[in-house]
Amino acid sequence: MAFNKRVKIKAVLDQNLIGQEITLMGWVRTKRSNKNVSFIALNDGSIITNYQVVADPNLISEEILKKCSTGACLKVSGIVVESQGAGQSSELHAKSIEILGEADPEKFPLQPKKHSLEFLRDIAHLRMRTNTFGAVFRVRHALAFAVHKYFNDRGFFYIHTPIITASDAEGAGEMFRVTTLDLKNLPKDEAGGIDFKQDFFEKETNLTVSGQLEGELAAMALGEIYTFGPTFRAENSNTTRHLAEFWMIEPEMAFYDAEDNQNLAEDFLKYVINYALENCAEDLQFLDQRAADEEKAKPAEQRAELGLIEKLKFVVENDFVRLTYTEAIDILRNSNHNKKKKFQYLIDSWGADLQSEHERYLVEKHFKKPVILTDYPKEIKAFYMRQNEDGKTVAAMDILFPGIGEIVGGSQREERLDRLTQRMQEMHIPEEELWWYLDTRRFGANPHAGFGLGFERMVLFVTGMGNIRDVIAFPRTPGNAEF
Amino acid sequence: MAFNKRVKIKAVLDQNLIGQEITLMGWVRTKRSNKNVSFIALNDGSIITNYQVVADPNLISEEILKKCSTGACLKVSGIVVESQGAGQSSELHAKSIEILGEADPEKFPLQPKKHSLEFLRDIAHLRMRTNTFGAVFRVRHALAFAVHKYFNDRGFFYIHTPIITASDAEGAGEMFRVTTLDLKNLPKDEAGGIDFKQDFFEKETNLTVSGQLEGELAAMALGEIYTFGPTFRAENSNTTRHLAEFWMIEPEMAFYDAEDNQNLAEDFLKYVINYALENCAEDLQFLDQRAADEEKAKPAEQRAELGLIEKLKFVVENDFVRLTYTEAIDILRNSNHNKKKKFQYLIDSWGADLQSEHERYLVEKHFKKPVILTDYPKEIKAFYMRQNEDGKTVAAMDILFPGIGEIVGGSQREERLDRLTQRMQEMHIPEEELWWYLDTRRFGANPHAGFGLGFERMVLFVTGMGNIRDVIAFPRTPGNAEF
């Protein structure tokens, strides 16, 4: 059922409506006219393709045609006719055009020319009307739907974990404070400190950095669950890979060990990417061409070996490489890159945290495939990861993607109460704050695992965009909370 | 593909596995034993139904059987055998039982007896292991998936609107401040005020109360969009209907008028409820019985006329009543309820805001159907609602549900720049803060509409639960941000 009287351009292109009278509504992308006819390229957001409206000046007044400028919103009624020219198979011969909303050519910022991504970021409220951002946000939608469909089809339950939390125990990064206290007149407690008992939640609260710990609670009841919600990091990182507000997907599964977890993550990533390939053909073709044009501007030796769609297919069709941190360190230490001191941080011993340059070397130079790195030193990983029998490593996994680096981080979780509390003590994490988390190890514990996927990194990978600010509608970064 | 070696109980019940050797993993709900045999009711969260494990003390040691107490987590391997008794068609004859995690009967709080909802709220980390909350959260998942599926199938795009915003122009309610400033040492500006230039976003920021305004920006490019994300109200409301953190669904559609909007909302609500009826049969049967038991405890005149499932079917199968605010005021003013002064707030004149008691009277007493109320006085509605030609009302709609009251609020949006800015001036809303919103009326404007659905109110309606704190995993309310 359609709820309004227009036909979407996607539907016109998908069906054979030749000879039918229809009404289109959309925005003018371009118009070219001669004495005898005007051709208007109309876009309604349903698909990247513009639909050609043919307007005869004997039927449509000059005054109306003049207002059909780039950005104007039109209601066009007419007959679908087989196209004369190349390109589309049909076009609309207008019987009437109504101007729903004008767009003064002197003022409308999106004229039919190439605009820089930086410029478009400043007008993020309008940029979705461009080919590039229309494609990005349709693909983003498809990826989000694929996430829900994948888990739903497999009996996982979607859990909304809290956004505001009083727990700051995880230590995953700097946090944003949430408060209703009057900053100009902060209440004091008896000791002269701030009296958070008077705050909305009667204690200090922050924006969540991860839903994992609460997700585990749900998995310990429902079996397999996932979260998909916003998370926050108050880090002053002005990079092309960091946002202060981003969306995370965090599945947690009872009865999964580390290998089950790896199998799920690989299958999940391939499914979601393949869903985009199958459902976003037009948008990905456009983005593939766009990425190819970007590559041409680079020096030959920096160009990607695979085009965007080739790269996505390659990931879907090939097994990910799986190796341990220890094996990776050996490869890196013995690499010519290390010997020739091309790494900024040279690898000389076991235990070093891997930098982005090392991850990219493994993925892009050495294996030329996505990599699942496992069994990291416990010192560089979180307290909740399951301790391996060697006493040195934990059952962690990071999945590394070409051009992106870490796209997934996860682990088997430590289900043994004594090991978990011992590690918390070593890392100075207060047990009383996580009493509820520890309860799941006291009552009906079981081996379980999970991982987190930064959704915007996935969108970045699939769209081939270069800056994470260009794959979320209204990015939040240091100094920027516009719109 | 299953990623671990167990079979889910839902799969065992759905398929005929008689004679096969399988492994189940799950939590003990109850155990009853005699000298010759133990019966263990196992639940793994995949379905509300417990599966019967039959343990022969000749095969399973007494020590193991003793540990199979309520709440313990087991791995059971055995043969699926046709059941002797009534009830389920099959049961598992255990060859081996491994205790994955014990649950000390002296300490585990969820013993097999009726616990109060208040008690379970205090142990929200464990309550999902009960029948009631398992059912609620499986239904919640199904409803969330139905929302995504409905919109995806109809070509709507999911947009993630920002959680942190600098805009406080909408005035939908009190907001939570978001800051990284050190409260103990707040930076001052030259005038002696707080220097928000030093805050993370270099200005004052809050948690969003609605994604609508940003959603409209996306609809003005992509046509039909929806949001589904957390929203926040810092209101000190300790009721069964309010949360400080809740999830909202907000579709926004270019080219929709008020009637299109009503048609969509009614169709959407029916689809989502019907999806639960079709996909959550076991859980809804349990919740239907639970609601019936609750009703029995009430005085006869307060009991609901319809059972839970009957009520859901009634909503799906009947047209909603549509009437204007003005018509509703007439009905209320002339009602016996009003004449006999049974309303706390008597209706004596046009223009009064409707209270919950009036909404419930219309829905539960007068029409006995869901009601779409339209065309409210502009004074009691938001600035962005489209002004009707009468100069007094706006093209608003509220959808009222039995037992819930307002479940949806929406409107056709004011697309005419002059009318919009005039209304903003009347309501003292600063234009410069909403320059981007006004731009969509400057460039390519069109008639458009949208609505908001509080997701937890939908879950409340479908599950028949009485308190909104019982339909979100970890509720946030004044003084409560535990877990």
Side-chain angles (χ1 to χ4, degrees):
Chain A
M1 185 172 7
F3 295 98
N4 58 4
K5 294 96 202 166
R6 67 163 176 142
V7 182
K8 288 189 192 181
I9 289 173
K10 185 174 190 330
V12 178
L13 295 171
D14 283 352
Q15 301 162 38
N16 179 3
L17 300 180
I18 298 218
Q20 293 192 32
E21 179 157 354
I22 62 168
T23 297
L24 296 182
M25 302 192 203
W27 293 269
V28 176
R29 285 294 173 82
T30 57
K31 181 186 64 175
R32 56 196 172 83
S33 302
N34 60 37
K35 253 186 288 183
N36 303 318
V37 66
S38 289
F39 298 101
I40 298 165
L42 203 68
N43 188 288
D44 68 3
S46 66
I47 190 169
I48 195 166
T49 319
N50 300 328
Y51 196 72
Q52 178 154 287
V53 172
V54 183
D56 176 344
N58 296 316
L59 289 172
I60 312 294
S61 76
E62 193 185 326
E63 192 197 2
I64 292 284
L65 280 176
K66 206 179 152 202
K67 289 180 178 170
C68 295
S69 60
T70 296
C73 192
L74 310 186
K75 174 180 179 178
V76 186
S77 296
I79 308 281
V80 180
V81 173
E82 211 161 329
S83 271
Q84 308 296 314
Q88 270 158 34
S89 60
S90 70
E91 60 195 23
L92 190 69
H93 285 203
K95 286 174 123 177
S96 71
I97 294 180
E98 183 185 335
I99 308 291
L100 299 175
E102 302 180 36
D104 183 345
E106 302 291 311
K107 293 178 184 158
F108 185 57
L110 288 176
Q111 292 306 317
K113 59 166 195 163
K114 194 170 164 65
H115 297 288
S116 76
L117 295 176
E118 292 74 17
F119 170 76
L120 292 172
R121 240 168 262 152
D122 289 337
I123 52 166
H125 63 308
L126 298 175
R127 68 178 175 170
M128 282 182 264
R129 299 187 193 180
T130 65
N131 282 334
T132 297
F133 287 96
V136 166
F137 289 106
R138 280 186 297 268
V139 171
R140 184 179 167 114
H141 161 78
L143 293 170
F145 186 72
V147 169
H148 287 296
K149 184 165 163 52
Y150 179 85
F151 287 122
N152 181 71
D153 288 353
R154 283 151 189 82
F156 286 60
F157 302 106
Y158 181 27
I159 296 288
H160 294 99
T161 49
I163 311 302
I164 300 173
T165 69
S167 149
D168 65 351
E170 211 203 335
E174 292 177 65
M175 295 199 281
F176 289 101
R177 177 186 298 281
V178 174
T179 183
T180 55
L181 293 178
D182 178 0
L183 299 197
K184 295 191 187 90
N185 189 16
L186 287 167
K188 302 286 177 187
D189 62 18
E190 284 169 14
I194 296 162
D195 184 9
F196 286 105
K197 281 241 157 48
Q198 296 189 40
D199 207 344
F200 189 89
F201 296 107
E202 299 173 14
K203 58 172 91 167
E204 293 189 65
T205 51
N206 304 291
L207 291 178
T208 186
V209 295
S210 160
Q212 177 202 315
L213 301 191
E214 290 91 352
E216 283 187 51
L217 307 181
M220 294 301 97
L222 302 173
E224 294 166 334
I225 66 91
Y226 69 107
T227 73
F228 189 167
T231 51
F232 304 85
R233 301 281 158 89
E235 281 162 28
N236 198 6
S237 301
N238 266 302
T239 81
T240 58
R241 293 284 176 277
H242 290 87
L243 292 166
E245 174 182 313
F246 57 101
W247 286 68
M248 283 259 281
I249 296 144
E250 297 182 284
E252 288 291 327
M253 297 76 65
F255 315 123
Y256 274 49
D257 65 19
E259 194 186 343
D260 298 331
N261 201 31
Q262 292 160 32
N263 292 342
L264 177 74
E266 181 170 342
D267 187 68
F268 167 67
L269 290 169
K270 287 176 171 175
Y271 175 91
V272 170
I273 293 167
N274 192 53
Y275 184 92
L277 283 168
E278 289 184 353
N279 290 275
C280 306
E282 298 93 350
D283 287 322
L284 287 179
Q285 267 154 32
F286 175 85
L287 292 168
D288 184 86
Q289 186 57 51
R290 187 191 166 278
D293 293 345
E294 297 273 304
E295 289 297 313
K296 275 184 211 150
K298 291 181 186 169
E301 70 278 12
Q302 286 179 26
R303 285 180 205 156
E305 289 179 29
L306 299 178
L308 176 64
I309 291 175
E310 284 177 319
K311 179 186 76 175
L312 300 179
K313 286 187 174 160
F314 182 83
V315 169
V316 169
E317 288 162 7
N318 286 280
D319 286 345
F320 295 3
V321 174
R322 302 186 188 193
L323 74 163
T324 65
Y325 166 90
T326 303
E327 290 164 337
I329 286 288
D330 279 346
I331 290 169
L332 289 167
R333 189 162 39 192
N334 296 324
S335 68
N336 278 328
H337 231 68
N338 203 48
K339 289 176 184 159
K340 291 185 180 164
K341 307 201 173 176
K342 283 194 189 165
F343 288 131
Q344 200 189 335
Y345 295 89
L346 294 180
I347 296 288
D348 51 10
S349 66
W350 193 93
D353 204 354
L354 298 185
Q355 305 296 321
S356 171
E357 59 178 343
H358 307 127
E359 295 175 347
R360 296 188 64 159
Y361 177 85
L362 289 169
V363 171
E364 293 165 22
K365 304 275 179 198
H366 188 82
F367 291 112
K368 301 190 182 219
K369 273 189 181 184
V371 168
I372 308 184
L373 265 186
T374 63
D375 302 296
Y376 284 74
K378 65 179 178 185
E379 282 72 21
I380 59 173
K381 288 291 180 184
F383 74 91
Y384 48 70
M385 296 194 178
R386 195 175 199 274
Q387 295 162 51
N388 288 329
E389 295 313 308
D390 61 13
K392 291 160 57 185
T393 61
V394 288
M397 71 162 174
D398 281 1
I399 302 187
L400 313 176
F401 262 31
I404 300 287
E406 183 192 326
I407 194 163
V408 159
S411 75
Q412 187 170 343
R413 313 307 186 190
E414 183 57 82
E415 86 280 14
R416 296 163 297 187
L417 183 64
D418 54 344
R419 303 278 190 114
L420 183 60
T421 52
Q422 182 204 326
R423 192 78 194 119
M424 286 171 72
Q425 280 158 21
E426 287 167 9
M427 295 173 77
H428 308 292
I429 294 166
E431 285 180 37
E432 56 279 13
E433 277 193 33
L434 290 179
W435 64 273
W436 41 270
Y437 187 70
L438 295 174
D439 262 6
T440 55
R441 277 67 178 172
R442 291 189 183 103
F443 307 120
N446 61 74
H448 64 284
F451 61 85
L453 168 75
F455 183 58
E456 281 75 18
R457 293 202 177 177
M458 167 62 88
V459 184
L460 211 49
F461 182 73
V462 174
T463 60
M465 299 296 286
N467 191 320
I468 204 161
R469 296 166 199 217
D470 295 331
V471 299
I472 189 166
F474 305 102
R476 267 64 183 119
T477 52
N480 182 24
E482 194 66 44
F483 309 108
Chain B
M1 185 175 3
F3 295 99
N4 58 4
K5 293 97 201 165
R6 66 160 177 146
V7 182
K8 288 189 193 180
I9 289 174
K10 186 176 189 329
V12 179
L13 295 171
D14 283 352
Q15 300 162 37
N16 179 2
L17 301 179
I18 296 210
Q20 293 192 32
E21 178 156 354
I22 62 168
T23 298
L24 296 182
M25 302 192 203
W27 293 269
V28 176
R29 284 295 172 83
T30 58
K31 181 186 64 174
R32 56 196 171 84
S33 302
N34 60 37
K35 254 187 288 187
N36 304 316
V37 66
S38 289
F39 298 101
I40 298 165
L42 202 69
N43 189 287
D44 67 4
S46 65
I47 189 169
I48 195 166
T49 318
N50 299 329
Y51 196 72
Q52 178 155 284
V53 172
V54 183
D56 176 345
N58 295 315
L59 289 172
I60 312 294
S61 75
E62 193 185 324
E63 191 197 4
I64 291 284
L65 281 175
K66 206 178 152 204
K67 289 180 179 170
C68 294
S69 59
T70 296
C73 192
L74 310 186
K75 175 179 177 177
V76 187
S77 296
I79 307 283
V80 180
V81 172
E82 210 160 330
S83 272
Q84 308 297 312
Q88 270 159 34
S89 60
S90 71
E91 59 194 25
L92 190 69
H93 285 202
K95 287 174 121 178
S96 71
I97 295 181
E98 184 185 335
I99 309 291
L100 298 176
E102 302 179 36
D104 183 344
E106 302 291 311
K107 292 179 184 157
F108 184 56
L110 287 176
Q111 292 305 318
K113 59 167 196 162
K114 193 169 165 66
H115 297 289
S116 76
L117 296 176
E118 291 74 18
F119 170 76
L120 292 172
R121 240 168 262 151
D122 288 337
I123 52 166
H125 63 306
L126 298 174
R127 68 177 175 171
M128 282 182 264
R129 299 187 194 180
T130 65
N131 282 334
T132 297
F133 287 95
V136 165
F137 289 106
R138 280 186 296 268
V139 171
R140 183 178 167 116
H141 160 78
L143 293 170
F145 187 71
V147 168
H148 287 296
K149 184 165 163 52
Y150 179 85
F151 288 122
N152 181 70
D153 288 353
R154 283 150 190 81
F156 285 60
F157 301 106
Y158 181 27
I159 296 288
H160 295 98
T161 49
I163 311 302
I164 300 172
T165 69
S167 150
D168 65 352
E170 211 202 335
E174 291 176 67
M175 296 199 281
F176 290 101
R177 178 187 297 282
V178 174
T179 182
T180 56
L181 292 178
D182 178 359
L183 299 197
K184 296 192 186 89
N185 189 17
L186 287 167
K188 302 284 178 186
D189 62 19
E190 283 168 15
I194 296 162
D195 184 9
F196 286 104
K197 282 241 157 50
Q198 296 189 41
D199 206 345
F200 189 90
F201 295 107
E202 298 172 14
K203 58 172 92 167
E204 293 189 66
T205 51
N206 303 291
L207 290 178
T208 186
V209 294
S210 160
Q212 177 202 316
L213 302 191
E214 290 90 351
E216 283 187 51
L217 307 180
M220 295 299 98
L222 302 173
E224 293 165 335
I225 67 92
Y226 69 106
T227 73
F228 190 168
T231 51
F232 304 85
R233 301 281 157 89
E235 280 163 29
N236 198 6
S237 301
N238 266 304
T239 81
T240 58
R241 293 284 176 276
H242 289 88
L243 292 166
E245 174 181 312
F246 57 101
W247 286 68
M248 283 258 281
I249 296 143
E250 298 182 284
E252 288 291 327
M253 298 75 66
F255 314 124
Y256 273 49
D257 64 19
E259 193 186 343
D260 298 330
N261 200 32
Q262 292 160 32
N263 293 342
L264 177 74
E266 181 171 342
D267 187 68
F268 166 67
L269 290 169
K270 287 176 170 175
Y271 175 91
V272 170
I273 293 167
N274 192 54
Y275 184 93
L277 283 168
E278 290 184 352
N279 289 275
C280 306
E282 297 92 351
D283 287 322
L284 286 180
Q285 267 153 30
F286 175 85
L287 292 167
D288 184 86
Q289 186 57 52
R290 187 191 167 278
D293 293 344
E294 297 274 304
E295 289 298 313
K296 276 184 211 150
K298 291 182 187 169
E301 71 276 12
Q302 285 179 26
R303 285 181 204 156
E305 290 179 28
L306 298 178
L308 177 63
I309 291 175
E310 284 176 320
K311 180 187 77 175
L312 300 179
K313 286 187 174 160
F314 182 83
V315 169
V316 169
E317 289 163 6
N318 286 280
D319 286 345
F320 295 5
V321 175
R322 301 186 189 193
L323 76 162
T324 65
Y325 166 90
T326 303
E327 290 164 337
I329 286 288
D330 279 346
I331 290 169
L332 290 167
R333 191 162 37 192
N334 296 323
S335 68
N336 277 328
H337 230 68
N338 204 48
K339 287 176 185 160
K340 291 185 180 163
K341 307 201 172 176
K342 284 194 189 165
F343 288 132
Q344 200 187 337
Y345 296 90
L346 294 180
I347 297 288
D348 52 8
S349 65
W350 192 94
D353 205 352
L354 297 186
Q355 305 296 322
S356 170
E357 57 178 344
H358 307 126
E359 295 175 348
R360 295 188 65 159
Y361 177 84
L362 289 169
V363 171
E364 293 165 22
K365 304 276 180 198
H366 189 82
F367 290 112
K368 302 190 181 219
K369 273 188 181 184
V371 168
I372 308 183
L373 266 186
T374 63
D375 302 296
Y376 283 74
K378 65 180 178 185
E379 281 73 20
I380 59 173
K381 288 291 180 184
F383 74 92
Y384 48 70
M385 296 194 177
R386 194 173 199 275
Q387 296 161 51
N388 288 330
E389 294 314 307
D390 62 13
K392 290 160 58 184
T393 60
V394 288
M397 71 161 175
D398 280 1
I399 302 186
L400 314 177
F401 261 31
I404 300 288
E406 184 193 325
I407 194 162
V408 159
S411 74
Q412 187 169 342
R413 313 308 187 190
E414 183 57 82
E415 86 279 15
R416 296 162 297 186
L417 183 63
D418 54 344
R419 303 277 189 115
L420 183 59
T421 53
Q422 182 204 325
R423 193 77 194 119
M424 287 170 71
Q425 280 157 22
E426 288 167 9
M427 295 174 76
H428 308 292
I429 294 165
E431 285 180 37
E432 57 279 13
E433 276 192 32
L434 291 178
W435 64 273
W436 41 270
Y437 187 69
L438 296 174
D439 262 6
T440 55
R441 277 67 177 171
R442 291 189 183 103
F443 306 121
N446 60 75
H448 64 285
F451 62 85
L453 167 75
F455 183 58
E456 281 76 17
R457 293 202 176 177
M458 167 62 89
V459 184
L460 210 50
F461 182 74
V462 174
T463 60
M465 299 296 286
N467 191 320
I468 204 161
R469 296 166 198 217
D470 295 331
V471 299
I472 188 166
F474 305 102
R476 267 64 183 119
T477 52
N480 182 23
E482 194 65 45
F483 309 108

